[in-house]
Amino acid sequence: MKDLVAKYAAFIKENVYPIEQDAIYGSFKAHLPRLNELRNLAKEHCLFAPHLSKEEGGLGLNLVEFAKISEVLGNSPLGHYVFNCQAPDIGNMELMHKFASNELKEKYLKPLQQGDIRSCFAMTEPAHAGSNPVHLSTTAVRDGNDFILNGHKWFTSSADGASFAIVMAVTNPEAENKYEKASMIVVPLDTPGFRLIRNIPIMGDVGEDYLSHGEVEFINCRVPQTNLIGALGQGFALAQERLGPGRIHHCMRWIGICERVLQMMCQRAVSRDLDINQPLAKQQTIQHWIAESYAEIKAARLMVLNTAKQIELYGAKAAKVDISTIKFFVSDVLMKVIDRAIQVHGALGITDDTLLSFWYRHERGARIYDGPDEVHKTVLAKNILKNYLSK
Ligand SMILES: Cc1cc2nc3c(=O)[nH]c(=O)nc-3n(C[C@H](O)[C@H](O)[C@H](O)COP(=O)(O)OP(=O)(O)OC[C@H]3O[C@@H](n4cnc5c(N)ncnc54)[C@H](O)[C@@H]3O)c2cc1C
């Protein structure tokens, strides 16, 4: 495993670091040809799509092994993209692998796994609280052999340039159980009636392509009923299946960011002199930030690896509380480490001359998406308190 991790690290350093700054602060789209070359190079080196089974063209890693690779990929904002294991595609691949029909797998999953197309996941709506997405206005009404979809979604990440969306829509409004009203349906984005309204600007940054967050609408979008994933009304059950491992993937990536940011913090601390032979690193406050960051990253890594192991052994449902715990803990560590690194860099830290400002803006969403901190803390607290309340 150590050798494999080293191979990924060397690949990223040699091929991805040189273009990341321009691709992130310049045009991502303009760098797509080079990124596609790198994807082909990753295939040649047998490193592409490490999360997939060997039969599907991947490395057949288990979740703990993938966690270690994912950390290295997270060192660069482009790492996961180059190896085709970026969100939301990785979550969609896992979902379709488990629950899609053979026809859907052939038509959509295969090209997604091969990196020929991208996808997105459209659940959240501007009109309803995404933290508790049981109330959705988007509908999919059966008409002959088809569904007709109507609705308005936002934060459909990576919709710009994606080939299809997995859309969460109400198919069973009459269901008594609120968790059995919605279904997941594949909608190709060239379907008449689909519109990407805009890429939503995030903290001053209008992302594009895979780095975008789309506001989208579906007006009388007609797709065959065979585009249903799983069973009718199973949407929320599938969303839980998708989000459990998805949260692990995010946490692994965040630890990779933390590692790189800590390196930047240390490099700046030793190279920036306050006076002759007085580098910042000699200041106790800076030393404490480095020590605290190191300890927090180490704790976060161990918690994530342990949770990955729990999922492997007992499944995502059984590891629900552990998943909630790492989701808010690791995103908090991420925010703290990036913030300290910016402070150590002084004015340079808030410029776009380093990746720190990108991560500061881009990763603020970590405390919100896939469940805001408060929701996950409540899950954990309730689990702790149940032992006391029952007495
Ligand atoms: C960068 C980013 C990418 C995203 N990508 C996608 C995507 O690809 N597809 C998709 O469908 N969605 C996506 N989302 C949407 C995301 O899932 C929602 O933003 C999230 O579920 C929160 O919903 P909301 O924004 O409607 O906040 P609301 O539900 O309105 O909540 C607002 C705030 O209320 C507080 N709160 C909520 N519930 C509780 C509670 N139980 N207890 C205490 N406080 C609470 C929290 O502080 C929360 O931040 C993305 C979001 C972001 C930021």
Side-chain angles (χ1 to χ4, degrees), residues 176-252:
E176 276 180 24
N177 185 336
K178 61 184 177 182
Y179 296 107
E180 290 174 1
K181 289 179 190 282
S183 304
M184 284 195 190
I185 298 167
V186 172
V187 179
L189 296 192
D190 58 2
T191 305
F194 169 80
R195 187 162 76 99
L196 173 63
I197 299 170
R198 60 172 178 151
N199 286 335
I200 306 163
I202 305 289
M203 302 212 180
D205 191 9
V206 185
E208 55 173 5
D209 206 82
Y210 138 71
L211 289 171
S212 65
H213 301 287
E215 178 175 353
V216 302
E217 68 180 5
F218 302 86
I219 298 180
N220 294 324
C221 278
R222 184 180 280 275
V223 298
Q225 284 190 34
T226 47
N227 280 18
L228 178 72
I229 299 180
L232 265 186
Q234 221 191 355
F236 285 107
L238 298 187
Q240 285 316 310
E241 289 276 349
R242 185 186 180 281
L243 288 172
R247 287 173 184 138
I248 281 266
H249 297 320
H250 280 305
C251 289
M252 298 162 180

Side-chain angles (χ1 to χ4, degrees), residues 87-88 120-133 153-159 166 168 202 212-214 242-243 247 250 361-376 378:
C120 55
F121 181 71
M123 178 157 80
T124 307
E125 301 182 354
H128 302 285
S131 307
N132 182 28
K153 302 276 185 185
W154 80 337
F155 278 87
T156 305
S157 298
S158 313
I166 295 178
M168 187 83 152
I202 305 289
S212 65
H213 301 287
R242 185 186 180 281
L243 288 172
R247 287 173 184 138
H250 280 305
R361 283 177 277 150
H362 193 258
E363 303 308 332
R364 178 59 181 84
R367 293 185 50 210
I368 298 170
Y369 59 73
D370 283 13
D373 284 0
E374 295 70 27
V375 172
H376 290 295
T378 300

